[in-house]
Amino acid sequence: MALLGADFLQRNAEYVNALNVFPVPDGDTGTNMNLTMTSGVRELRSKPSESIGKAAEALSKGLLMGARGNSGVILSQLVRGFSKSLANLEEAGAAQVAAALQHGVDLAYKAVVKPVEGTILTVAKEAAKHAVQYARRTNDVAELMREVHQKAHEALQRTPDLLPVLKQVGVVDSGGQGLVFIYEGFMRSLSESDGSGYQDSYAMPSEAAPPEEVAVPAAAPVIRKLERTSAQARLSTDDIEYLYDMEFFINRKHSGKTAVYFDESAFKRALEKDGDSILVITEEDIIKVHVHSRKPGDVLNLSLPYGELTDIHILNMREQHRDLLEHDFTDVSTADFSAAELLAGQAIVQVTPPGQVFERAPYGIIAVALGEGISDIFLENDVDTVLSGGQTMNPSTEDFVKAIEALSAEHIYILPNNGNIILAAEQAAELSERNITIIPTRTIPQGLAAVLAFKEDESAERNTLWMKNAAEQVLSGQITKAVRDTTIEGVDIREGDYIGIKEKTIVVSHASLLQACQGLISSMLESGGDLLTVFTGEEADSVETASLCEWVAGQYPELELEVQNGGQPLYPYVLAVE
């Protein structure tokens, strides 16, 4: 099911991309879902199992780490819930599969702060609801999946009735369509009627077009900046305050009537008194606990009333650190890494002199940007690591996790700088044990404003407030080319026209780049503004830029104008009004 679902999605990824509502050249729902599913299949193939529970667990882990964009994160949550429902099962019938689909929907809705109907969520919800009902009539999983696929398709066709913008443009929801393709693969993998005939016309991924071999676009997210420090070398042994690294399970199933009610919030607060790096995961009758504590005996005594303690692991982190420091730290030459690793920014080069120890910095900032110029601006303004990405290519959850692990700081801020990247950043923060704050910036100008508001000597609470407020005060705009004819909110758009987007709204479309820019700027300045910043992209022409600046100076003589080389692809100009 997973292999064929991934294959169907892969073959139709460009079609899914084309369904994005905005007629911009970088619609990427299909790409994000494809790369997310590809990551899941890769993990599944690395851990093959005849157990449906273990297979689903491997698929879920791969999707979770590879999730990109809102659609990819939601897909990973659908599979995560599906996996949790099938855990510990060797095989499953229609009732179990239907329940697993419903559990996936429940988890996905919880992951989204403000669920929007008429999206992939609606398609998944309607299909799962029907599956639960239909499973009362059959235990044939193939028959069930035919019904699931049909109901998902019907729900997809109704998405324009729930989201007016879809009806206006005349398309169905792109994420929902991606899910329907996955369900079609599921259905066909189980269909005896297709059998080998299906495999003749559509090669199985393992034979001809494995999802993991899909060429990743050149703009795939990479960690642009090499962290040149060792995490261990930055820490003094005596500074390890909570020295006992503890991990164990509380088994409530075999505790009979002796186990007391488990209040997760109260339990975490109790652990915080003498501990940090706290992670508590409740899975039915099993509670997994991880904590760094000064008093391991108190932690165990606190846990005993809730059930039997199993798989207890306690490590002395000071002892581990002393062992590590006994070995000389030697410089690592870039020759030790392949060219691909260095170009991808995945080589962590450690150049700390032997015996030298550094403390963690109080703050670290990770930002997402696309374009050398914009990336350099971030790096020049307190940002430690820039992930390459944006609307064209969204960083995955794993990209964020790696960036977090490579950054030696007590408190880490993440600036997604794109609405489609925020969920992946939030998911990475949940997976990490580090102290992380997501500043939900949706544009590059918002991200830069947030960075400029950051103050190294202030508290995390104040910085969070100032950065969020600064981002909200910026009005963002961008110019790009339309990829198809359409009409959106009264604006007639022709393929090849330059369209001006103010925040999320297309306000102008014109065959002339200069006139499109003028229309967008005029719209952005309707409510006033003191500063206009223009970030020039790869396609920006110096003569046209000069003409634009001359027009701005003539029309708005009191307005301060700044021009920065952004180097971003697909968008000749990105604008910010403050």
Side-chain angles (χ1 to χ4, degrees):
M1 288 170 67
L3 294 178
L4 221 51
D7 188 42
F8 259 73
L9 179 62
Q10 176 197 34
R11 294 172 186 273
N12 295 282
E14 287 306 315
Y15 175 75
V16 175
N17 283 340
L19 292 175
N20 281 275
V21 173
F22 271 15
V24 295
D26 52 4
D28 54 3
T29 300
T31 300
N32 283 335
M33 294 183 73
N34 181 36
L35 292 174
T36 300
M37 197 69 181
T38 294
S39 177
V41 168
R42 184 181 296 114
E43 182 71 16
L44 177 59
R45 279 189 164 141
S46 70
K47 297 177 180 178
S49 174
E50 293 298 319
S51 161
I52 191 172
K54 291 180 180 178
E57 180 182 6
L59 180 67
S60 173
K61 180 182 177 182
L63 263 77
L64 187 68
M65 298 306 294
R68 298 171 187 266
N70 291 346
S71 56
V73 172
I74 291 172
L75 176 61
S76 74
Q77 292 298 311
L78 289 171
V79 176
R80 184 184 177 204
F82 185 87
S83 167
K84 287 178 178 294
S85 184
L86 296 177
N88 303 319
L89 293 181
E90 292 297 317
E91 56 185 37
Q96 290 95 338
V97 171
L101 290 170
Q102 182 61 55
H103 193 54
V105 169
D106 295 340
L107 210 60
Y109 267 85
K110 289 179 181 178
V112 180
V113 177
K114 295 181 179 179
V116 176
E117 298 301 337
T119 64
I120 182 176
L121 289 170
T122 303
V123 174
K125 179 178 69 175
E126 293 298 320
K129 179 181 178 181
H130 180 67
V132 172
Q133 295 173 346
Y134 196 83
R136 299 167 186 162
R137 289 182 272 169
T138 183
N139 196 41
D140 186 335
V141 180
E143 183 180 345
L144 177 76
M145 282 310 306
R146 284 196 294 272
E147 289 290 323
V148 167
H149 174 257
Q150 178 61 34
K151 181 58 68 171
H153 178 74
E154 292 172 3
L156 176 68
Q157 302 311 308
R158 290 194 297 271
T159 55
D161 297 328
L162 299 173
L163 270 183
V165 67
L166 295 178
K167 179 170 286 188
Q168 184 178 354
V169 178
V171 296
V172 294
D173 178 67
S174 54
Q177 178 66 82
L179 185 64
V180 169
F181 281 132
I182 293 172
Y183 284 170
E184 183 171 358
F186 286 3
M187 174 191 70
R188 289 183 178 269
S189 72
L190 297 167
S191 175
E192 294 179 359
S193 59
D194 289 323
S196 61
Y198 171 75
Q199 295 186 34
D200 288 341
S201 56
Y202 293 93
M204 288 290 287
S206 59
E207 296 175 352
E212 65 265 33
E213 294 178 11
V214 177
V216 178
V222 298
I223 299 177
R224 181 168 172 263
K225 179 185 176 185
L226 294 181
E227 273 298 308
R228 302 181 64 81
T229 56
S230 163
Q232 293 297 333
R234 284 180 176 268
L235 181 67
S236 170
T237 302
D238 292 337
D239 288 340
I240 302 177
E241 182 179 2
Y242 304 103
L243 68 159
Y244 295 105
D245 181 359
M246 306 181 64
E247 188 172 62
F248 58 91
F249 291 88
I250 304 175
N251 189 331
R252 295 174 60 77
K253 185 175 182 180
H254 300 296
S255 299
K257 298 180 181 180
T258 60
V260 301
Y261 170 73
F262 182 71
D263 185 330
E264 184 173 323
S265 297
F267 184 71
K268 289 180 179 178
R269 288 195 298 269
L271 291 177
E272 287 173 351
K273 292 180 180 178
D274 278 296
D276 69 356
S277 298
I278 297 167
L279 179 66
V280 179
I281 301 174
T282 304
E283 295 286 349
E284 296 180 353
D285 294 326
I286 296 293
I287 302 168
K288 181 178 180 179
V289 180
H290 174 276
V291 61
H292 295 168
S293 177
R294 282 189 292 240
K295 301 177 180 179
D298 289 356
V299 172
L300 297 178
N301 287 331
L302 175 67
S303 306
L304 278 170
Y306 300 111
E308 293 182 358
L309 307 187
T310 62
D311 295 331
I312 302 172
H313 298 277
I314 303 177
L315 297 175
N316 185 321
M317 292 188 291
R318 288 183 185 172
E319 182 179 34
Q320 286 181 304
H321 193 257
R322 283 190 288 265
D323 289 342
L324 288 169
L325 293 182
E326 286 179 3
H327 299 88
D328 290 340
F329 287 111
T330 57
D331 288 353
V332 181
S333 168
T334 55
D336 294 329
F337 299 97
S338 69
E341 288 174 319
L342 290 170
L343 288 173
Q346 294 169 346
I348 306 300
V349 184
Q350 198 287 110
V351 294
T352 308
Q356 186 170 349
V357 175
F358 299 93
E359 295 182 356
R360 275 186 175 180
Y363 295 110
I365 302 178
I366 298 170
V368 180
L370 192 60
E372 288 293 318
I374 291 176
S375 297
D376 288 339
I377 294 171
F378 275 115
L379 292 172
E380 291 165 2
N381 288 277
D382 292 319
V383 171
D384 299 280
T385 303
V386 175
L387 285 175
S388 176
Q391 190 67 13
T392 308
M393 175 55 64
N394 299 160
S396 68
T397 301
E398 186 172 15
D399 292 324
F400 280 113
V401 169
K402 287 181 178 179
I404 291 167
E405 291 174 348
L407 192 58
S408 182
E410 294 294 337
H411 193 113
I412 297 174
Y413 288 100
I414 298 181
L415 307 173
N417 300 332
N418 187 289
N420 204 35
I421 297 175
I422 294 174
L423 276 181
E426 291 175 342
Q427 188 158 271
E430 291 176 4
L431 292 173
S432 174
E433 297 179 0
R434 307 285 292 279
N435 193 6
I436 298 168
T437 298
I438 309 295
I439 306 297
T441 51
R442 296 179 176 275
T443 64
I444 290 296
Q446 284 186 352
L448 290 172
V451 166
L452 293 175
F454 170 79
K455 298 183 185 301
E456 184 78 32
D457 56 351
E458 286 291 348
S459 67
E461 292 76 13
R462 284 179 176 269
N463 270 321
T464 299
L465 178 63
W466 288 339
M467 292 169 79
K468 287 183 177 180
N469 286 341
E472 292 171 358
Q473 300 305 312
V474 177
L475 186 62
S476 305
Q478 49 194 351
I479 295 286
T480 190
K481 271 189 176 181
V483 295
R484 64 173 181 268
D485 295 346
T486 188
T487 299
I488 294 183
E489 296 184 359
V491 179
D492 293 326
I493 301 167
R494 293 176 178 267
E495 181 179 350
D497 278 359
Y498 289 96
I499 53 177
I501 308 170
K502 181 171 69 173
E503 296 297 338
K504 296 182 178 181
T505 305
I506 297 177
V507 297
V508 63
S509 176
H510 205 284
S512 164
L513 173 58
L514 180 59
Q515 293 191 46
C517 288
Q518 292 172 352
L520 175 58
I521 292 172
S522 297
S523 178
M524 294 177 68
L525 291 171
E526 285 177 348
S527 300
D530 300 317
L531 171 65
L532 170 65
T533 305
V534 178
F535 299 95
T536 59
E538 289 179 348
E539 301 174 27
D541 178 84
S542 59
V543 175
E544 197 131 36
T545 301
S547 298
L548 180 61
C549 293
E550 184 179 348
W551 177 83
V552 171
Q555 293 291 317
Y556 305 95
E558 303 299 323
L559 182 69
E560 184 179 352
L561 175 65
E562 288 186 5
V563 179
Q564 303 266 11
N565 175 27
Q568 68 274 4
L570 300 178
Y571 291 81
Y573 295 102
V574 171
L575 310 173
V577 170
E578 300 176 60

